[in-house]
Amino acid sequence: MGVGGPTAVVPITDPGARGVDSALTTAGQVGEAWRQSDAVLYAVFTASSGGGAGAFVGKLAEGSGGTALRDVDPKELPAAAQAL
């Protein structure tokens, strides 16, 4: 909970990346925790995010009042961050 306003969270990810243990937390648990927070999510995806985790995070971002930028070229990350 931020002082003077909501917290902004900006993950930058390739939704196709492997190595995350999805058994640790369900999408429903993450969504419920997010809805109970005052955080606004701004997501930047460096690869296609049409389905799966990318679609879920995009919905969380839009539902929190934030946005999700998809298919951002890694060379364009500074410009994407500035746009947010």
Side-chain angles (χ1 to χ4, degrees):
M1 312 300 165
V3 175
T7 301
V9 177
V10 184
I12 299 173
T13 185
D14 173 349
R18 301 289 181 246
V20 175
D21 185 355
S22 61
L24 294 177
T25 305
T26 68
Q29 290 170 321
V30 171
E32 183 59 29
W34 203 274
R35 282 186 285 281
Q36 292 178 13
S37 76
D38 68 345
V40 178
L41 176 61
Y42 298 91
V44 178
F45 297 103
T46 60
S48 178
S49 57
F56 175 70
V57 171
K59 286 180 183 178
L60 278 180
E62 290 159 9
S64 75
T67 190
L69 301 177
R70 293 171 170 86
D71 300 320
V72 175
D73 184 319
K75 296 174 188 168
E76 299 299 322
L77 287 174
Q82 192 70 24
L84 294 175

